[in-house]
Amino acid sequence: MARPNDDVAALLQEYADLVQISGGDAFKARAYEKAARAIGGHHTDVSTLDARALRDIPNVGRSIADKVAAYLTTGTMPEVEQARARIPDGVRRLMAIPTLGPKKALTLYETLGISSVPALREAIEAERLRDLKGFGPKTEENILHGIDVLQASGGRVRLAQAAETAEAVVAALTAIDGCERCTWAGSLRRMRETVGDLDILVAARRSAPFMDALTRLPHVAETLAHGTKKTSVRTTDGLQIDLRVVPPGSWGAALIYFTGSKAHNIRIRERAVRHKLKLSEYGLFHTETGRKIAARTEEDVYRRLGLPWIPPTLREDRGEVAAALRGELPVTVTDADIRGDLHTHTDLTDGLASLEDMVDAAARRGLEYYAVTDHAPDLVMQRMTDEKALAQRDAVRALDGRHRGMRLLHGTELNIDPDGGVDWDAEFLAGFDVCVASVHSHFRQSRDALTRRLVRACENPHVHIIGHPTTRILGKREPVDADLDAVFAAAARTGTALEINSHPNRLDLNDENILRAKRHGVKFAIDTDAHSVRDLEYHRFGVGTAQRGWLTTDDVINTWPLPRLLRHLDGTGTTR
């Protein structure tokens, strides 16, 4: 159930890809790519805008605005339909493979007749690509890696897409008469980075109105099952939604049961058995008498099992039950604990909104401090210069105080070069309030080289945060192959924070790496890496990931009051 903005953005991006495949004007393709990004990141629902208002969105010119306005009225964009007709379906399927560009996809189709992922893998294994111009063993290796990344996603959707759909479904079902409670459960409630099926739970005395309503929701493509206890549908974007309606008196037990994880549920059911009890989605029962002991709230059920309430993000059977029994469950960081954002961008580089718009949006979110960290000059396509950075610093200083209670910080996102160096010399870097350093290139260096590269960046006295440390992009790029324990040890030794990048395409570091890094004594920064006003909403996904890594406010530097944060930035670690 995508936003209209996302639908339009996907359509414009598809058209840009089709233009590239057909060998069309590269400038035209780039214009549509920019418009797709701008509309996807725009905070206003584009279906409420006319062509004139659409032109006010950066990178959306008159021609594209007119096409979008017509699409929102008619549901079609003739230019895209015509381009689709010229490009075989098989080529578009191949383009889903990370590392395989549109022109190579077209070459494979026209030369070898390859129109599916299995056929491509078979052709590579038979070494049929090696005689094609522009292909070779290294290209084959990259394509195979891309196929593995694509297939590893297993049809799962990213956290933000699942959350957006779940919020729409819950809002619709909550409005139905007789609904006493409604929420999502499953892996979304546990804030896993991807979601297979969406579990929705309703507490009501009659199930039929809710089961019927689910099948009639917008963007439901097909009904997979329709019953009194469970109904399943699939949306137009391929996400399966499973709805269960339970009696209000069983709400807590059902919420535990359907939140999972399977391993956590087995663990607490084993505990129930040891106490001669039986736990199901309907309640906690005495085994011999069948008498219901607890069911109405999660807290009641956990308490009768001798446990405190365990947050959903911890229910992965990673020792949370044992920690609860010892009274050692962490009080994990929450959205309300986030005081600031230390990694954001504006339209000075690759952001979509102006400095003023980003600052105003941060103030509306109630942040106490906010850092602008546009890209540094070694990322050449962003065209940053010393003069632009200094001019932006003046603009940030002038805006500081515009919103009472929010301090503005001027920073930069540096590029970690292949040897571990960064843009600008020490004297210039000393003028920034905060420096994020990230790997943006040379992702396939050797393990030793990547490890040295990241460790050296941690040891730079002007680097405060390592941005998206493993560089992964979900479904598109695997994490770099580095000795992360060595990197975590270096970060802990130098006091360099490691980022939990909240963008749902990244969620980097992930929960397992956070747990490992925490054992080394690392501090973290939960940042949005926002490139638009809308991206500032992504903090909640980073917080959920941090919770899964058992982090507390003491672990996360942007939950600290400003004076403590500034002391940390000014004199971090033993090597600074």
Side-chain angles (χ1 to χ4, degrees):
M1 297 183 182
R3 297 165 66 237
N5 299 46
D6 297 330
D7 286 337
V8 172
L11 192 67
L12 296 177
Q13 182 59 56
E14 180 186 0
Y15 185 61
D17 292 339
L18 293 172
V19 170
Q20 287 186 336
I21 291 173
S22 61
D25 183 359
F27 178 81
K28 181 177 182 180
R30 182 60 176 156
Y32 276 84
E33 285 180 353
K34 288 182 176 180
R37 286 189 64 237
I39 288 175
H42 193 59
H43 56 282
T44 302
D45 182 341
V46 294
S47 66
T48 66
L49 305 178
D50 60 16
R52 181 182 295 275
L54 287 167
R55 292 200 297 272
D56 291 335
I57 301 174
N59 295 317
V60 178
R62 180 185 297 275
S63 175
I64 294 177
D66 289 344
K67 291 180 176 65
V68 170
Y71 168 75
L72 293 169
T73 301
T74 66
T76 63
M77 190 176 290
E79 292 79 5
V80 177
E81 300 297 334
Q82 293 164 13
R84 285 172 177 166
R86 292 193 300 268
I87 306 299
D89 287 341
V91 178
R92 297 204 296 274
R93 284 194 290 271
L94 294 179
M95 284 175 54
I97 302 171
T99 73
L100 185 64
K103 291 183 179 179
K104 277 189 166 58
L106 184 61
T107 298
L108 291 171
Y109 179 83
E110 291 181 337
T111 307
L112 300 177
I114 296 172
S115 60
S116 70
V117 173
L120 178 55
R121 184 185 286 277
E122 182 180 335
I124 292 173
E125 291 172 350
E127 299 185 356
R128 293 171 56 206
L129 273 61
R130 296 192 177 184
D131 293 332
L132 299 180
K133 184 178 180 181
F135 291 81
K138 187 64 175 177
T139 303
E140 291 176 340
E141 179 185 336
N142 290 342
I143 293 173
L144 284 174
H145 179 71
I147 291 173
D148 291 339
V149 170
L150 177 67
Q151 294 179 338
S153 65
R156 297 176 69 86
V157 303
R158 292 169 188 165
L159 185 59
Q161 179 185 345
E164 189 172 307
T165 300
E167 287 162 357
V169 173
V170 167
L173 298 182
T174 299
I176 296 174
D177 288 343
C179 180
E180 296 193 18
R181 304 284 295 273
C182 182
T183 192
W184 54 83
S187 52
L188 175 59
R189 189 165 180 242
R190 300 198 315 277
M191 296 293 280
R192 286 196 60 183
E193 61 195 29
T194 60
V195 173
D197 301 332
L198 189 57
D199 296 294
I200 303 293
L201 199 62
V202 166
R205 302 185 188 284
R206 295 178 60 243
S207 66
F210 302 93
M211 300 304 189
D212 293 341
L214 179 67
T215 65
R216 296 194 300 266
L217 288 179
H219 304 292
V220 168
E222 61 177 323
T223 299
L224 306 175
H226 192 300
T228 58
K229 293 183 178 178
K230 177 183 176 182
T231 292
S232 298
V233 300
R234 181 170 285 115
T235 66
T236 52
D237 50 9
L239 181 61
Q240 181 172 324
I241 304 174
D242 297 327
L243 170 64
R244 295 170 176 86
V245 179
V246 300
S250 296
W251 175 257
L255 195 53
I256 289 175
Y257 185 88
F258 290 113
T259 294
S261 67
K262 180 179 179 180
H264 174 84
N265 285 354
I266 290 172
R267 185 74 62 184
I268 61 174
R269 284 203 299 271
E270 289 173 345
R271 183 165 178 79
V273 169
R274 288 197 294 272
H275 287 77
K276 298 183 179 180
L277 302 172
K278 180 182 178 181
L279 179 62
S280 74
E281 64 266 45
Y282 297 106
L284 184 64
F285 299 88
H286 193 281
T287 303
E288 294 182 1
T289 66
R291 181 172 61 90
K292 183 186 287 187
I293 296 173
R296 185 167 291 275
T297 70
E298 287 190 313
E299 289 82 357
D300 288 343
V301 175
Y302 277 114
R303 184 165 51 248
R304 293 305 298 265
L305 290 171
L307 296 166
W309 179 77
I310 298 175
T313 46
L314 299 187
R315 299 180 197 174
E316 295 289 354
D317 194 32
R318 292 171 170 168
E320 69 275 7
V321 172
L325 289 170
R326 296 192 305 267
E328 296 176 358
L329 272 181
V331 179
T332 54
V333 61
T334 68
D335 288 348
D337 294 320
I338 298 297
R339 294 174 183 262
D341 199 339
L342 299 177
H343 181 182
T344 71
H345 297 273
T346 75
D347 59 4
L348 182 63
T349 56
D350 60 346
L352 300 175
S354 68
L355 172 64
E356 292 81 359
D357 286 347
M358 294 297 286
V359 168
D360 291 347
R364 288 195 297 271
R365 298 192 67 79
L367 298 182
E368 297 176 24
Y369 43 87
Y370 180 75
V372 177
T373 56
D374 273 312
H375 288 286
D378 287 355
L379 203 62
V380 178
M381 71 284 294
Q382 303 306 336
R383 300 181 180 179
M384 177 59 81
T385 64
D386 296 13
E387 292 75 20
K388 287 182 179 179
L390 293 174
Q392 185 184 64
R393 183 172 301 162
D394 290 340
V396 169
R397 298 289 184 256
L399 282 173
D400 197 19
R402 174 170 175 163
H403 298 283
R404 291 189 63 186
M406 187 175 78
R407 171 74 178 275
L408 295 184
L409 304 175
H410 186 236
T412 181
E413 184 180 13
L414 302 165
N415 305 285
I416 303 174
D417 70 25
D419 295 323
V422 297
D423 324 61
W424 286 313
D425 59 25
E427 182 179 359
F428 198 87
L429 290 176
F432 291 102
D433 298 316
V434 57
C435 292
V436 180
S438 308
V439 170
H440 290 121
S441 65
H442 299 82
F443 304 115
R444 303 194 67 142
Q445 285 180 299
S446 71
R447 180 179 177 85
D448 286 347
L450 278 163
T451 302
R452 287 194 300 271
R453 182 179 180 184
L454 288 165
V455 167
R456 185 182 171 202
C458 289
E459 292 173 343
N460 187 312
H462 295 288
V463 171
H464 304 106
I465 300 167
I466 302 296
H468 41 77
T470 75
T471 82
R472 74 166 186 177
I473 299 177
L474 287 167
K476 291 187 177 181
R477 186 167 69 218
E478 289 288 276
V480 293
D481 180 20
D483 181 349
L484 291 181
D485 284 302
V487 176
F488 298 157
R493 172 172 51 83
T494 61
T496 308
L498 298 183
E499 183 175 70
I500 301 171
N501 189 296
S502 301
H503 197 289
N505 291 349
R506 290 190 182 271
L507 297 179
D508 181 15
L509 293 169
N510 68 11
D511 55 345
E512 293 180 358
N513 285 328
I514 293 167
L515 285 163
R516 286 168 59 191
K518 179 178 169 69
R519 287 193 287 270
H520 282 275
V522 167
K523 298 300 183 186
F524 303 84
I526 304 175
D527 299 322
T528 62
D529 192 2
H531 285 66
S532 72
V533 167
R534 184 174 177 240
D535 290 355
L536 292 172
E537 301 172 6
Y538 288 151
H539 249 141
R540 59 176 174 149
F541 302 123
V543 169
T545 303
Q547 291 174 346
R548 291 175 58 81
W550 293 46
L551 296 190
T552 69
T553 54
D554 190 57
D555 299 312
V556 180
I557 66 173
N558 56 314
T559 68
W560 298 349
L562 180 62
R564 181 183 178 187
L565 173 70
L566 293 179
R567 287 195 300 272
H568 178 81
L569 297 177
D570 287 343
T572 306
T574 57
T575 66
R576 297 179 186 277

